[in-house]
Amino acid sequence: MSLTSDPPIGPPAGPAPGPPDASKGGAPGTGHGELTVVPLRHPWRWAAVAATAVLLAQFVNGLITNPGWEWDVFARFFTAPTILEAVWITLQLTFYGTAIGFALGIVLAFMRLSASVFLRSVAHGYIWAFRSIPLIVQLLFWFNLAYLYEELTFGIPFGPGFLAFGTMNLVGAMSAAVLGLALHQAAYAAEIVRGGVLAVGSGQSEAAAALGIPRLRQLRRIVLPQAMRSILPNAANEIISLFKGTSIVSVMAIGELFYQVQVVYGRNGRVVPLLMVATVWYILLTTVLSVLQHYVERHYAKGAVR
């Protein structure tokens, strides 16, 4: 006997309603099987692709057919001994400038992160000064060090000196170039390293300190490996910029790649093919640096979620 006045709930008396049938007067094309999928069209995208392809084909055709490029002259000088020697000097400037610059930049970065107001101020002042002064001015200052200081003296600060020597032959053109490039690079490297360290959560260091891990080991084993993922892309850009920026030392008559190319086309008047020699060498070496960057980044990205 039912305790309520509501009617019992049961299955519907008739069959379940289905999709309307067009043959029986229903709306045509309303069933899922009858829907037509129309792909989205991008006419302007295809127009842009076609225009870009035409321009690229014209550029390549001009490189091949235009006699002004003088590819025979390019091939003759591309592996000439003077050019290869200039490439080696360019690589040396890049290596020493990068190594010394980033070594000093790491020190400056941690000085800026120091709790000491004095160390932070000194590092900030260095970065401010060397980022403000043009590189060519810095190079010329170091090249003319003997004009500013005729001799250097070692001894008690503000007191008597024990050892003095002249500066006329102390800093040559190559040394001045390396010194100028490295000190200039250090200012930018410091900010890159500082940004990478700040990108690591402070909880990492706090957890390591709670476990009793020494401060130096925290930095070497925990902070820097994680910071490298943020440091590497910007650092690689700076190294590539330094590699191409070595051409500025041509003002000091150093036989790097661009200076040597200028000397050669100054003698034979073949400006365009000699400039292409320098261009292709810069492209090849920059490509090698980019490939190395890829593998180093992949090494430090182990375990990271991408």
Side-chain angles (χ1 to χ4, degrees):
M1 179 176 181
S2 175
L3 299 179
T4 64
S5 59
D6 295 333
I9 300 175
D21 192 351
S23 63
K24 296 180 180 181
T30 56
H32 291 290
E34 299 178 5
L35 294 177
T36 303
V37 179
V38 179
L40 184 62
R41 294 178 174 85
H42 302 279
W44 291 110
R45 179 188 299 175
W46 287 106
V49 169
T52 305
V54 169
L55 291 175
L56 184 60
Q58 287 181 323
F59 176 72
V60 174
N61 180 68
L63 285 178
I64 297 173
T65 61
N66 190 339
W69 293 105
E70 298 184 272
W71 292 113
D72 55 334
V73 179
F74 167 86
R76 188 164 71 250
F77 284 99
F78 185 72
T79 55
T82 55
I83 298 298
L84 295 179
E85 184 179 354
V87 170
W88 174 241
I89 293 175
T90 299
L91 291 174
Q92 284 182 304
L93 290 170
T94 304
F95 175 78
Y96 291 125
T98 299
I100 299 173
F102 272 87
L104 181 57
I106 292 173
V107 175
L108 290 169
F110 285 101
M111 286 175 65
R112 285 213 63 187
L113 295 171
S114 171
S116 170
V117 177
F118 176 75
L119 292 179
R120 289 203 309 268
S121 300
V122 170
H124 180 74
Y126 178 97
I127 294 169
W128 167 76
F130 279 85
R131 289 199 303 184
S132 302
I133 303 172
L135 177 57
I136 189 171
V137 177
Q138 298 178 39
L139 292 172
L140 292 176
F141 266 125
W142 290 113
F143 190 57
N144 293 281
L145 180 65
Y147 175 79
L148 297 173
Y149 302 98
E150 295 183 359
E151 66 177 15
L152 294 179
T153 304
F154 292 91
I156 300 174
F158 307 105
F162 305 124
L163 177 63
F165 54 89
T167 59
M168 180 60 67
N169 299 318
L170 178 63
V171 179
M174 190 70 176
S175 302
V178 170
L179 194 58
L181 292 172
L183 295 179
H184 180 78
Q185 187 70 23
Y188 293 91
E191 291 298 274
I192 292 172
V193 174
R194 184 174 71 93
V197 172
L198 291 177
V200 180
S202 59
Q204 302 280 339
S205 300
E206 293 173 0
L211 293 173
I213 300 176
R215 178 75 175 173
L216 185 60
R217 191 173 183 184
Q218 293 177 31
L219 180 66
R220 184 170 54 89
R221 303 287 296 182
I222 298 174
V223 176
L224 282 181
Q226 296 181 74
M228 287 297 288
R229 293 198 295 268
S230 300
I231 291 173
L232 276 173
N234 295 322
N237 286 338
E238 281 300 314
I239 294 172
I240 291 173
S241 296
L242 177 65
F243 168 68
K244 294 182 295 184
T246 54
S247 60
I248 202 171
V249 305
S250 60
V251 299
M252 302 161 62
I254 297 176
E256 50 80 42
L257 179 58
F258 185 67
Y259 176 82
Q260 197 61 46
V261 163
Q262 286 180 305
V263 171
V264 175
Y265 75 60
R267 292 174 180 171
N268 61 16
R270 298 289 191 266
V271 179
V272 172
L274 266 300
L275 288 178
M276 284 301 297
V277 168
T279 300
V280 173
W281 270 115
Y282 282 125
I283 290 174
L284 287 176
L285 295 176
T286 300
T287 303
V288 171
L289 292 175
S290 300
V291 171
L292 291 176
Q293 172 194 352
H294 168 73
Y295 284 105
V296 175
E297 283 186 6
R298 192 172 70 174
H299 170 75
Y300 281 102
K302 291 177 180 178
V305 179
R306 294 297 181 190

